[in-house]
Amino acid sequence: MYNYYPWYPMQQSGGFSPYAANMGVRQQNGNGNGNGDGNGMLSMEQSYIENILRLNRGKRANVYMTFEGNPDWQSMVFRGIIDEAGRDHIVLRDPEAGRWYLLLMVYLDYVVFDEEINYQYPFE
């Protein structure tokens, strides 16, 4: 099985875990979900792809994805309008084709917009 995150040693081995850094934030907030505001959204002090995509809902985008090990379609471009974005997914609507795509972030390479994007850098 292909390991998508080979640079993260397993937590069981006592090595580094990307989730360990968030544990202090969760404990400080007291709400247990790692958010700064307690309403289910991530704090704007954190610049994550999902937050940037949420700021740009309704904009047309080209989403480039790579599916390693697939002999039929190793990479694809999905074109449409960003409807939603979550921690592990993007919902893209293609009005010309009448389709909606639920795309997994694990396959995401990059996103190209046809217009200026909304972006708020952390701590502004």
Side-chain angles (χ1 to χ4, degrees):
M1 181 169 171
Y2 181 77
N3 183 359
Y4 289 102
Y5 301 101
W7 53 88
Y8 292 145
M10 298 297 288
Q11 188 170 358
Q12 292 86 354
S13 66
F16 172 77
S17 168
Y19 304 105
N22 293 333
M23 294 307 288
V25 173
R26 288 185 182 137
Q27 292 171 355
Q28 289 172 0
N29 293 336
N31 59 10
N33 61 7
N35 304 336
D37 54 13
N39 69 359
M41 295 293 292
L42 290 174
S43 168
M44 288 310 298
E45 295 176 351
Q46 301 175 17
S47 179
Y48 290 111
I49 293 171
E50 68 209 57
N51 287 345
I52 296 166
L53 292 172
R54 284 183 192 136
L55 287 171
N56 291 282
R57 284 185 193 129
K59 292 191 178 183
R60 184 167 295 281
N62 297 330
V63 178
Y64 292 80
M65 304 190 115
T66 300
F67 305 94
E68 293 187 30
N70 189 321
D72 296 328
W73 31 271
Q74 188 166 12
S75 60
M76 290 184 70
V77 181
F78 296 90
R79 293 172 176 82
I81 297 170
I82 297 175
D83 272 350
E84 294 293 334
R87 181 166 283 184
D88 64 347
H89 67 279
I90 303 167
V91 177
L92 196 69
R93 176 173 41 98
D94 184 355
E96 285 99 34
R99 291 187 179 144
W100 284 261
Y101 298 102
L102 177 60
L103 306 170
L104 301 180
M105 289 277 202
V106 70
Y107 301 118
L108 179 66
D109 293 324
Y110 59 96
V111 179
V112 175
F113 291 89
D114 295 333
E115 59 186 286
E116 184 177 353
I117 64 171
N118 297 322
Y119 181 76
Q120 294 178 356
Y121 191 75
F123 309 114
E124 280 186 357

